[in-house]
Amino acid sequence: MKTTIINIMSALFIVLGFTACSDDNVSDLRLSGECMIEQIALDNYEGTIDLKSRTITVRLPEIYNTSAMQVTVLKLSNGASCNISQGSTLNMDAAKVLHVKNGDVSLDWTIRVLHDEARITWFVINDIYTGAIDQNAKTITVYVPASAGITNLVPTITYSENATITPASGVAQDFSQPVSYTVKNNSAESTYVVTVIAIDKPKALFVGSASNMSELDPEAKEACQWMLGNVGGSLYASFADLRAGTIDLSECKVIWWHWHMQPAVDGHDQFLAKGTDALDTKNELRQFYENGGALLLTRYATNLASFIGATGDDDWTTPNNCWGGDEESAELCGGPWEFKIWDGQNNHPLFQGLIPGDDPNRVYCTDAGYHITNSTAQYHIGTDWGGYDDHAAWESRTGGKILGVGGDGAIVAWEYPAHDGKGGIICIGSGCYDWYSYTFEAGYVENYHKNISIMTANAINYLTR
């Protein structure tokens, strides 16, 4: 009986011995910090130690080479050792894990560097008007309609992590004169001069049904924000604004409508049913076009060209093959999505300066990890259905010029050249032309997707040249 009790107690001791260790191999019974990093410095820049998360952050100047940093100070708990030592050289372009051991106990610590960047990365006024930021000159230019006034505007500002900014984001300012914003982040400091320009006569417009840009759907809003931040003298206007004549179009060179809708707008009759706001404004838009104004029509907005006279009096020349998904269930791109440049159009201004892929005859539009609705408004070509036996028949009937096609030869990008005093129109209906991903998969790196903004800038420059 005595032997049995001793064996049971021994077994319990062994079990307790194993279960007392944490995931870091630290026994709960060891309350002192035997595996602590008490002090560390890289190139004499002291690290800040967070005991709770076991992370170490070394703050560096904004521009600093981190590929070969020396461990100039390293103090550990008494009796502990580490997989690095004082004097070691580390490539800190990425975070490193330090393994500290003391006898049978060990802990892992993560060390990273953080540059003291002091930048404004986004500046928007009244949640509508996005500023164009020149990071070299440290200037920000924001265009607003004259009706907005400039003496009491509220900016929302995004700036570098861990930085402070003065004046603060969200505080109303009088922008009748340029306002300076100072960003400070440890050793870094930058001052941006913000100039707000009230526009009576915009040079370019982004249009939509929403009363203001902040009410646009995420896809159109992303496109509009890009335009306001990158096209000088551009504004957002609703179709109601155009009908009411509150926007002076006398100096406007181009109007862009990027229309996303869920579910898709599939053909002539659905455009009549769903595009009522634009169709109610077709007289104003047609007058603009016939007076020499240019239009950029993307996604389902490509239908509009047939209703403002671009294809003569035949409004049945709308895209005949349309579809699209919802943002919430957008398709994951496993790699780049692309469309083909139509024969002989490689030198067209629309395709200049794009980030090249494997095939120089293709436009690469997305990257792996991007979620896309594949919203498409294209022309099916063939004798099976659709009214266009071949590409020549499409050009003859519509008066258009083919710029890009899909894998099956469907027309996905085209233009109606300026003629007889009328402005030019570029249409992009490819499902690859997408501005907004509701989320990004881990490891996503934007590369080819930059071609969307490059191609859009090309289109606007071409139409307004």
Side-chain angles (χ1 to χ4, degrees):
M1 190 67 163
K2 184 176 180 181
T3 302
T4 303
I5 292 174
I6 292 173
N7 288 339
I8 292 173
M9 291 181 66
S10 299
L12 285 173
F13 178 78
I14 292 171
V15 171
L16 289 172
F18 278 111
T19 58
C21 294
S22 69
D23 291 339
D24 295 301
N25 304 317
V26 180
S27 169
D28 290 338
L29 299 176
R30 295 179 181 267
L31 302 180
S32 59
E34 293 96 336
C35 295
M36 291 279 291
I37 294 180
E38 298 178 349
Q39 186 181 7
I40 188 171
L42 304 180
D43 288 357
N44 294 315
Y45 288 97
E46 189 81 16
T48 299
I49 300 172
D50 187 323
L51 298 178
K52 185 176 181 180
S53 63
R54 292 201 304 279
T55 59
I56 303 161
T57 302
V58 180
R59 301 288 295 269
L60 300 173
E62 183 171 0
I63 300 175
Y64 195 90
N65 185 356
T66 60
S67 62
M69 298 191 70
Q70 187 180 47
V71 181
T72 49
V73 177
L74 180 61
K75 293 183 180 179
L76 308 174
S77 300
N78 187 36
S81 62
C82 184
N83 60 325
I84 67 165
S85 59
Q86 189 165 316
S88 297
T89 299
L90 304 178
N91 182 345
M92 292 305 303
D93 290 345
K96 293 287 184 292
V97 175
L98 307 183
H99 188 69
V100 180
K101 188 175 182 181
N102 200 341
D104 294 327
V105 183
S106 63
L107 279 180
D108 285 341
W109 298 75
T110 300
I111 185 169
R112 64 163 187 157
V113 298
L114 180 64
H115 291 274
D116 292 336
E117 183 181 85
R119 293 191 175 196
I120 293 176
T121 55
W122 192 59
F123 192 99
V124 61
I125 283 179
N126 290 3
D127 293 326
I128 300 175
Y129 310 108
T130 303
I133 303 175
D134 185 329
Q135 293 290 2
N136 292 323
K138 295 294 186 290
T139 60
I140 301 174
T141 305
V142 190
Y143 296 94
V144 302
S147 59
I150 58 175
T151 59
N152 189 37
L153 300 175
V154 179
T156 300
I157 312 167
T158 302
Y159 47 93
S160 300
E161 180 185 356
N162 297 315
T164 60
I165 190 167
T166 307
S169 174
V171 176
Q173 296 291 331
D174 179 354
F175 286 98
S176 56
Q177 297 293 327
V179 176
S180 294
Y181 283 83
T182 299
V183 186
K184 294 182 178 180
N185 190 0
N186 202 29
S187 65
E189 180 175 331
S190 299
T191 297
Y192 290 76
V193 177
V194 179
T195 302
V196 175
I197 300 174
I199 304 174
D200 288 319
K201 301 175 182 180
K203 306 294 185 185
L205 284 181
F206 188 103
V207 297
S209 295
S211 60
N212 60 71
M213 188 192 76
S214 63
E215 296 177 1
L216 289 170
D217 66 90
E219 169 71 25
K221 186 176 181 179
E222 188 77 16
C224 183
Q225 287 177 336
W226 176 88
M227 185 181 193
L228 269 57
N230 292 275
V231 179
S234 60
L235 291 177
Y236 174 79
S238 68
F239 288 117
D241 292 330
L242 297 184
R243 291 195 298 272
T246 57
I247 302 293
D248 187 337
L249 297 178
S250 61
E251 295 184 10
C252 185
K253 302 297 184 183
V254 62
I255 292 176
W256 179 17
W257 183 26
H258 180 65
W259 188 29
H260 172 73
M261 172 155 284
Q262 299 176 181
V265 181
D266 188 9
H268 177 275
D269 289 347
Q270 286 196 18
F271 184 76
L272 285 177
K274 298 178 180 180
T276 53
D277 214 14
L279 290 171
D280 288 345
T281 318
K282 71 177 182 179
N283 290 336
E284 289 79 8
L285 292 167
R286 182 165 188 157
Q287 183 179 13
F288 173 78
Y289 165 63
E290 292 181 344
N291 287 340
L295 291 103
L296 174 59
L297 304 174
T298 50
R299 197 163 283 192
Y300 305 128
T302 54
N303 287 272
L304 180 65
S306 298
F307 290 88
I308 61 172
T311 59
D313 295 325
D314 187 358
D315 65 18
W316 281 92
T317 52
T318 54
N320 61 8
N321 189 205
C322 310
W323 66 85
D326 297 341
E327 292 290 1
E328 297 76 13
S329 56
E331 187 173 352
L332 173 63
C333 296
W337 284 30
E338 24 70 31
F339 64 88
K340 185 179 178 182
I341 299 173
W342 182 240
D343 295 343
Q345 295 301 325
N346 291 70
N347 293 325
H348 192 282
L350 184 65
F351 305 127
Q352 302 311 299
L354 299 178
I355 297 169
D358 294 336
D359 187 343
N361 297 312
R362 294 182 181 273
V363 178
Y364 294 83
C365 298
T366 67
D367 302 286
Y370 186 93
H371 289 258
I372 191 169
T373 63
N374 194 19
S375 298
T376 302
Q378 65 180 22
Y379 289 93
H380 174 81
I381 301 297
T383 57
D384 48 350
W385 60 273
Y388 306 103
D389 289 351
D390 53 34
H391 294 92
W394 179 87
E395 289 190 331
S396 176
R397 179 177 171 184
T398 66
K401 180 179 176 182
I402 302 170
L403 301 179
V405 297
D408 61 353
I411 301 171
V412 300
W414 62 99
E415 74 167 309
Y416 304 102
H419 65 96
D420 301 324
K422 298 177 181 179
I425 301 176
I426 282 187
C427 297
I428 305 174
S430 170
C432 302
Y433 183 86
D434 193 283
W435 280 91
Y436 173 79
S437 177
Y438 78 95
T439 187
F440 300 94
E441 296 300 303
Y444 171 79
V445 177
E446 185 174 70
N447 182 38
Y448 293 125
H449 188 248
K450 295 175 184 177
N451 282 335
I452 300 300
S453 57
I454 295 171
M455 188 162 42
T456 304
N458 287 345
I460 293 172
N461 290 336
Y462 170 66
L463 291 169
T464 58
R465 69 194 191 288

